[in-house]
Amino acid sequence: DRMRTEYSRVSISKKRYTPTVENLEKLKQASEWICKAPVEVCETYYVEDFCVDLTMKAKTGKVDVVVVDYVQLLNSYSVDNANEYERVSYVAEYLKRTANRLKIPIIALCQLNRKGAKDDNAEPTLTDLRGSGALEQAASSVILLHRDDDVVKSWQTNPPFWLYQNEQYGRAHASEAMDAVWAILAKNQNGPTGRLPFVVNKPYFVW
């Protein structure tokens, strides 16, 4: 659904509650594009099965990048009954070895552990990676996403009109439909760290 929304530019609310003929046609075209797109989905909860499937596909030479959504959901036959720390550590190292062996970049999404954060708007750090410090050690690069509540609140009075053609529409929608997000490059094995600003259009899942 999110891929169709992003490609068709038909928001989730319109798709569910007020579908028009025009929007349905856009969704149909988006579905046809997705069916032809070079994207494959592997649904498994065990890292060994996932990497075996990836290895077989990599032999065809058609795998450019892999996305794991997300690390904490993966388990392993070797540490099936282990605690979260041991399980996440094993999975992280297994994914790293597979990426190095196949020479294919693996983007592993990860949850954050923010229980200790007193300030809800505090930026995340590498120590906030949930489950194990092995995630930081195994990764070549770590990008942390941070929603800047201060910027989003300021949009209520000073909306970013440059994002909209209509000023009135921008004032009404900016603070509701848009999120200001920092992409923080907290670790970079081959270069400097830093940050980049992003704007997320929530109804369309577009960055």
Side-chain angles (χ1 to χ4, degrees):
D1 274 1
R2 292 188 177 186
M3 289 182 68
R4 289 202 303 166
T5 296
E6 179 180 353
Y7 185 79
S8 66
R9 295 297 194 271
V10 177
S11 67
I12 289 291
S13 59
K14 289 181 180 178
K15 184 175 67 174
R16 290 179 179 174
Y17 307 114
T18 57
T20 62
V21 174
E22 181 183 0
N23 287 340
L24 290 174
E25 180 60 29
K26 290 181 180 179
L27 290 168
K28 178 184 175 182
Q29 293 176 2
S31 298
E32 293 174 349
W33 176 84
I34 291 172
C35 289
K36 297 177 182 178
V39 177
E40 293 193 33
V41 178
C42 175
E43 296 188 48
T44 179
Y45 288 101
Y46 287 90
V47 67
E48 293 90 350
D49 295 339
F50 173 78
C51 290
V52 166
D53 184 68
L54 173 58
T55 300
M56 294 176 63
K57 288 183 171 62
K59 289 181 179 179
T60 66
K62 296 181 180 180
V63 180
D64 296 319
V65 65
V66 178
V67 179
V68 176
D69 185 13
Y70 51 91
V71 171
Q72 284 78 9
L73 284 179
L74 283 175
N75 207 334
S76 169
Y77 295 115
S78 300
V79 290
D80 202 4
N81 296 318
N83 58 41
E84 184 181 40
Y85 179 88
E86 294 173 335
R87 178 172 52 81
V88 173
S89 297
Y90 186 89
V91 168
E93 290 296 332
Y94 203 103
L95 290 173
K96 180 179 181 178
R97 290 196 302 270
T98 301
N100 290 337
R101 174 170 54 85
L102 299 178
K103 301 187 184 306
I104 294 174
I106 296 180
I107 301 173
L109 306 185
C110 176
Q111 285 186 322
L112 294 180
N113 181 13
R114 304 299 304 280
K115 291 182 180 179
K118 296 181 180 180
D119 183 0
D120 291 337
N121 199 33
E123 290 189 357
T125 65
L126 291 172
T127 58
D128 290 318
L129 294 175
R130 179 180 171 182
S132 171
L135 288 168
E136 174 189 348
Q137 295 174 9
S140 298
S141 302
V142 177
I143 298 176
L144 304 171
L145 299 180
H146 172 59
R147 180 181 185 271
D148 195 323
D149 291 335
D150 293 335
V151 173
V152 174
K153 289 177 181 177
S154 72
W155 285 353
Q156 296 176 3
T157 53
N158 299 292
F161 296 130
W162 54 272
L163 291 173
Y164 299 91
Q165 295 180 349
N166 183 286
E167 181 174 326
Q168 184 176 358
Y169 179 83
R171 189 175 295 277
H173 271 262
S175 59
E176 297 178 4
M178 296 292 185
D179 268 347
V181 176
W182 287 103
I184 305 168
L185 182 57
K187 176 184 177 181
N188 185 7
Q189 199 172 46
N190 301 310
T193 58
R195 59 174 61 199
L196 284 174
F198 283 89
V199 175
V200 184
N201 192 327
K202 293 184 288 185
Y204 304 102
F205 298 101
V206 175
W207 292 65

